[in-house]
Amino acid sequence: MNTQNLPTPTAKINAAFSGYFPTWCPGCGNFGIWSSLKSAFNKLKLHPDKMAIVFGIGCSGNMNDFLWANSFHALHGRAVPTAIGVKIANHSLPVIVIAGDGDCYGEGGNHLLHAARGNHDITVVVHDNRVYGLTTGQVAPTAFKGAKSKSTPGGIIEVPVNPVALVLTQGATFIAQGFSQDMIHLTDLIVAGVEHKGFSLINVFQPCVTFNPANSYSFYRERVYKLGADYDPSNFRSALDKSMELEEKIPIGVIYKSERPVYTDSLNQLKTSVLAGQSQNTEFIKFINEFV
Ligand SMILES: Cc1ncc(C[n+]2csc(CCOP(=O)(O)OP(=O)(O)O)c2C)c(N)n1
Ligand code: SF4
């Protein structure tokens, strides 16, 4: 790779393009999410050094190479707990997770609900393509009942995971849904999610044009509708009702927003300074060295 193409780290440059071009299939919905994230980070004036992104494993997680920011490519299913660790180490940093539905709702599902319970102040952006893209087309947790895939040739038996209802009932304080083709709308949702103090989930409908032709761009264009000004996202019951709109018509926009203390606000150790800058780290290093 020609490193001359990389952006120079000056104070004027915000988190954006890394200089590496995506390797996704032509037409993949990940392109729209990538563009929206870059626009959102620039709108938020987030310098790459002043934020942290944790990526899952998947086609979605491969964005690690295409965005320029402090980042960590976590194990599959472990992006959320890694992000929580980063946030506790430096709670002044905006921390964002970028991962697939397999990563967040399958192998990492347990972590997601506990992140919501704790109101950990992280923003989780899920590429919901209803399939395992990177491993070439096995069924994912959000696939519709009966969906056929490489791993379910006779159709999936289980009902789909409902991400919005799941995190809503576990205490998430910001929940939104977007569509990767509507990039301006998605950019605004990402900005709002990062600005929100507390756990935020943005579930993004992302066509996988190679392994999931059933949930195509036209499938979503015919079904998604934007929540209007008359919708009140602070109403838990309304949000629960919206979370049940899964197939015929699908709401996009901010579905739920509320406020309660975030996890790190309750830790006395973090009252004076960020953990990463505190002196006990020296003791910690001494402690670790006893085992080396
Ligand atoms: C611990 C672990 N389990 C399983 C895998 C294999 N694996 C890699 S990517 C993936 C699924 C990716 O699907 P998803 O998270 O939906 O992301 P996408 O590729 O669709 O963006 C799996 C099962 C792995 N790498 N590590
Ligand atoms: S396999 Fe699907 S999700 Fe992965 S890059 Fe191709 S279209 Fe995108």
Side-chain angles (χ1 to χ4, degrees), residues 129-156:
N129 55 16
R130 305 181 197 267
V131 75
Y132 285 2
L134 192 71
T135 45
T136 72
Q138 299 79 15
V139 79
T142 47
F144 292 128
K145 185 168 164 51
K148 292 190 176 169
S149 73
K150 272 188 182 170
S151 56
T152 55
I156 182 170

Side-chain angles (χ1 to χ4, degrees), residues 22-25 28 30 55-64 66 73 76 98-100 127 129 131-136 206 208 211:
T23 48
W24 297 313
C25 309
C28 174
N30 286 338
F55 293 90
I57 300 292
C59 295
S60 39
N62 285 352
M63 201 192 293
N64 183 43
F66 321 135
H73 209 161
H76 184 66
I98 295 173
H127 298 223
N129 55 16
V131 75
Y132 285 2
L134 192 71
T135 45
T136 72
Q206 174 250 316
C208 167
F211 295 113

Side-chain angles (χ1 to χ4, degrees), residues 12-72:
K12 286 185 184 157
I13 295 176
N14 301 318
F17 182 44
S18 67
Y20 289 87
F21 286 96
T23 48
W24 297 313
C25 309
C28 174
N30 286 338
F31 284 99
I33 305 178
W34 180 55
S35 297
S36 303
L37 283 160
K38 286 184 292 178
S39 302
F41 295 153
N42 281 295
K43 270 193 173 184
L44 288 161
K45 301 197 186 321
L46 279 178
H47 188 276
D49 281 353
K50 299 285 178 277
M51 64 187 299
I53 307 182
V54 180
F55 293 90
I57 300 292
C59 295
S60 39
N62 285 352
M63 201 192 293
N64 183 43
D65 294 335
F66 321 135
L67 272 183
W68 192 51
N70 277 327
S71 64
F72 189 90

